[in-house]
């Protein structure tokens, strides 16, 4: 693993550093840390617990290829994992990651941070971070997972559908390295918990701080809007929406309100 890491840094002029079991490849600019991680993982040139960081991204992505505003000053990284799991469990890792990030930010900042389903973090009801999980599946088993995370540290866009914020605007000052390290501290505990005991533990951690639980929410699914009461998440991370005393399970949507 060490030899390959060195080759990678020579090849791409990345600056490398290590933290615990993790190797961090730090780039000044990339299209997207997820794109680079997916490309390298596919070529077999990046391994479990390696992280790609970029100081800025020129084509940062959210879910469904949406844009993730990525100017210099915020944190953008992707962590590569190779868990021995079946394809149906892969999406659970995004709840593991966002829960670790929430706890990390709460511990560092002493601010209350909420989970907006499925994997956004809110401070004062505004989005401060998001996760984009991507993976390669081969015959129903997972070859690798890329956990992409963006945290707004110094700036946030003001033209988003759901309001955005950043840590500086909330009076909080931490460097991207401090946030990344704290995330890794929390992630290694929660990830191991998930591997050992399954999703139920993660579900409970996620449900410690859900945005608008037992309140009216609006969901966007493609062009349609659904309204109902948010009743939490099920054993697989689906959103539970109550309408007319009926509960529906929603696997893909945006909570727009
Ligand atoms: C997400 O998508 O929230 C996942 C964001 C993941 C970004 C990281 S950065 C490192 C890694 N490399 C990548 O290329 N991506 C990952 P989603 O839930 O689809 O939210 C996207 C929506 O959030 C956009 O359509 C905008 O409305 C809004 N948005 C864009 N940039 C934002 C920002 N910096 N802060 C808050 N909201 C933003």
């Amino acid at each position: 693993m060490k030899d390959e890491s060195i080759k990678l840094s020579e090849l791409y002029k990345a600056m490398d550093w290590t933290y615990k079991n993790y190797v961090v490849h730090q780039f000044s600019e990339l299209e997207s840390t997820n794109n680079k991680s997916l490309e390298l993982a596919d070529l077999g040139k990046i391994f479990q617990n390696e992280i790609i960081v970029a100081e800025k991204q020129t084509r940062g992505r959210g879910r469904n290829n949406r844009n993730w505003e990525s100017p210099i000053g915020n944190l953008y990284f992707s962590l590569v994992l190779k868990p021995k799991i079946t394809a149906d469990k892969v999406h659970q890792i995004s709840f593991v990651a966002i829960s670790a990030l929430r706890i990390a930010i709460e511990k560092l900042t002493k601010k209350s941070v909420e989970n907006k389903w499925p994997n956004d973090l809110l401070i004062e009801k505004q989005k401060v971070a998001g996760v984009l999980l991507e993976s390669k599946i081969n015959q129903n088993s997972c070859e690798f997972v890329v956990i992409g995370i963006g945290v707004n540290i110094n700036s946030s866009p003001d033209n988003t559908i759901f309001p955005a914020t950043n840590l500086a605007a909330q009076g909080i000052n931490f460097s991207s390295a401090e946030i990344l390290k704290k995330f890794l501290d929390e992630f290694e505990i929660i990830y191991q918990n998930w591997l050992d005991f399954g999703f139920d533990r993660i579900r409970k951690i996620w449900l410690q701080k859900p945005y608008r639980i037992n309140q009216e929410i609006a969901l966007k699914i493609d062009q349609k809007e659904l309204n109902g009461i948010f009743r939490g998440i099920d054993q697989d991370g689906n959103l539970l929406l109550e309408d007319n005393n009926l509960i529906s399970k929603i696997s893909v949507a945006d909570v727009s309100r």
Side-chain angles (χ1 to χ4, degrees):
M1 179 171 117
K2 273 251 141 49
D3 283 347
E4 287 292 340
S5 301
I6 291 162
K7 277 186 214 148
L8 198 68
S9 71
E10 284 172 357
L11 195 59
Y12 294 104
K13 305 231 175 338
M15 194 189 84
D16 288 353
W17 48 282
T18 57
Y19 181 66
K20 296 184 169 175
N21 291 327
Y22 300 94
V23 180
V24 181
H25 306 287
Q26 183 134 0
F27 293 73
S28 50
E29 179 181 313
L30 286 175
E31 261 193 5
S32 148
T33 58
N34 265 37
N35 290 359
K36 182 58 80 188
S37 304
L38 291 168
E39 173 195 318
L40 292 172
D42 228 7
L43 293 169
K45 287 190 172 166
I46 192 165
F47 301 93
Q48 160 109 334
N49 289 351
E50 292 200 51
I51 296 166
I52 301 276
V53 177
E55 280 161 33
K56 69 185 270 204
Q57 300 183 116
T58 51
R59 287 180 62 191
R61 289 186 290 116
R63 292 174 300 146
N64 303 324
N65 255 328
R66 288 184 290 215
N67 178 46
W68 185 257
E69 292 284 333
S70 308
I72 200 155
N74 296 331
L75 172 60
Y76 315 105
F77 72 94
S78 301
L79 165 61
V80 177
L81 296 175
K82 300 197 170 182
K84 292 187 175 56
I85 54 169
T86 49
D88 58 321
K89 301 275 184 296
V90 166
H91 70 284
Q92 297 179 359
I93 299 176
S94 65
F95 289 89
V96 175
I98 204 68
S99 298
L101 187 65
R102 173 181 64 79
I103 293 169
I105 295 178
E106 285 191 331
K107 283 190 179 170
L108 275 178
T109 67
K110 317 276 185 267
K111 284 257 183 188
S112 175
V113 182
E114 284 182 307
N115 287 310
K116 177 170 158 294
W117 186 88
N119 41 40
D120 295 345
L121 292 185
L122 309 181
I123 295 184
E124 304 284 352
K125 317 282 179 218
Q126 301 158 84
K127 180 162 169 173
V128 71
V131 170
L132 172 66
L133 186 100
E134 297 181 295
S135 60
K136 185 170 179 189
I137 306 296
N138 207 342
Q139 292 183 338
N140 197 35
S141 69
C142 171
E143 223 171 85
F144 57 79
V145 172
V146 170
I147 305 172
I149 294 188
V151 182
N152 295 332
I153 295 181
N154 282 330
S155 70
S156 42
D158 48 21
N159 56 351
T160 49
I161 303 161
F162 195 88
T165 190
N166 60 83
L167 296 180
Q170 301 293 330
I172 302 160
N173 289 300
F174 286 100
S175 70
S176 49
E178 285 171 305
I179 294 168
L180 174 55
K181 286 182 191 168
K182 193 69 182 163
F183 165 77
L184 294 172
D185 290 343
E186 300 302 326
F187 182 79
E188 64 181 5
I189 300 168
I190 299 182
Y191 183 62
Q192 196 56 50
N193 248 290
W194 176 71
L195 289 173
D196 292 344
F197 304 108
F199 187 67
D200 196 47
R201 297 243 175 151
I202 309 310
R203 179 176 165 271
K204 287 189 178 122
I205 297 172
W206 194 92
L207 284 170
Q208 288 167 354
K209 296 299 284 290
Y211 169 69
R212 291 188 76 80
I213 187 93
N214 298 325
Q215 294 178 52
E216 188 78 38
I217 56 169
L219 291 181
K220 268 219 142 115
I221 304 174
D222 297 326
Q223 300 310 318
K224 276 191 301 189
E225 186 169 301
L226 277 184
N227 292 283
I229 298 173
F230 174 39
R231 294 293 187 201
I233 57 173
D234 72 0
Q235 299 303 330
D236 203 32
N238 296 306
L239 180 146
L240 300 173
L241 188 73
E242 184 184 317
D243 187 29
N244 280 329
N245 295 323
L246 275 179
I247 303 252
S248 321
K249 291 182 177 187
I250 311 285
S251 60
V252 183
D254 279 300
V255 177
S256 54
R257 228 174 339 102

